[in-house]
Amino acid sequence: MSLVFLLRHAKAIWPTPSQKDFDRTLDKDGTEAAKILGLELKRGKLKPDVVLCSTAIRARQTLEYVALEPPFILQELEKLYSGGPDTYLMAIRMAGLEHEGSQSVMLVGHNPMMEEVAMALSGRGDPPIHPTFVSGFPTAGLAVIEFDEPLAEIRPGRGTLREFFSPSSHL
């Protein structure tokens, strides 16, 4: 069994006219939502073996405020900022290959990729459970998807959505 955690960064400030999107920081609500999510993960005893984090400031800050307890392997990947859903799926598989024995990986990234990857990977169950997001995958949203296969072998439609957290809705 393996687990994939898909975490969209928490709410960020709007960019100023001269600011790059990449450099946007979390706003007050985003910081609080990330802290709430961290508490929920601890309460549920959910902790990934490997964390792949976008290099965008708001993604790195989200991970910082979630405050996962070590040990875990952290890799910052620029391609999670600029890449599409296929890039995210490949990153998950590569984590499984590069970190043999790891049974869980968390991606900290961006929409629309998070929503697209969550919907593509989920699909098993009776009846099949697909995440549905009325207004998109929310900021600080976390989908936890379970697979029977190792991380390196996961495929679209083969996962089961185990849990979904949205702490930003509690603010």
Side-chain angles (χ1 to χ4, degrees):
M1 183 191 79
S2 58
L3 292 176
V4 173
F5 298 78
L6 299 173
L7 172 57
R8 181 179 178 198
H9 66 78
K11 189 175 178 199
I13 63 168
W14 290 103
T16 60
S18 63
Q19 185 180 33
K20 293 179 183 177
D21 177 70
F22 183 89
D23 295 329
R24 292 171 47 211
T25 59
L26 296 185
D27 68 11
K28 182 181 172 213
D29 288 345
T31 299
E32 289 304 312
K35 289 176 182 177
I36 291 168
L37 180 60
L39 293 173
E40 288 297 320
L41 288 170
K42 285 177 187 146
R43 201 168 309 163
K45 295 182 176 31
L46 295 170
K47 187 173 113 12
D49 298 325
V50 178
V51 177
L52 307 175
C53 186
S54 164
T55 54
I57 291 173
R58 61 190 178 274
R60 291 183 302 174
Q61 286 181 325
T62 298
L63 182 57
E64 177 185 335
Y65 286 112
V66 166
L68 293 173
E69 293 181 13
F72 60 87
I73 299 165
L74 173 63
Q75 289 181 285
E76 291 187 349
L77 302 174
E78 189 279 332
K79 62 186 174 184
L80 293 182
Y81 175 73
S82 59
D86 289 342
T87 302
Y88 279 54
L89 182 56
M90 185 57 69
I92 293 167
R93 289 182 187 148
M94 290 305 296
L97 289 171
E98 292 173 4
H99 306 287
E100 195 173 320
S102 296
Q103 296 179 325
S104 59
V105 63
M106 174 184 280
L107 272 69
V108 184
H110 309 271
N111 237 14
M113 286 69 67
M114 284 299 171
E115 181 175 357
E116 290 176 24
V117 172
M119 289 192 303
L121 291 178
S122 301
R124 291 190 48 218
D126 187 20
I129 301 170
H130 292 278
T132 54
F133 309 108
V134 176
S135 57
F137 198 108
T139 55
L142 174 71
V144 181
I145 304 169
E146 186 175 279
F147 294 86
D148 292 333
E149 302 85 11
L151 292 171
E153 299 174 18
I154 66 167
R155 300 284 180 263
R158 308 257 321 173
T160 302
L161 182 65
R162 181 170 147 183
E163 298 189 54
F164 187 79
F165 299 97
S166 180
S168 58
S169 64
H170 301 302
L171 296 175

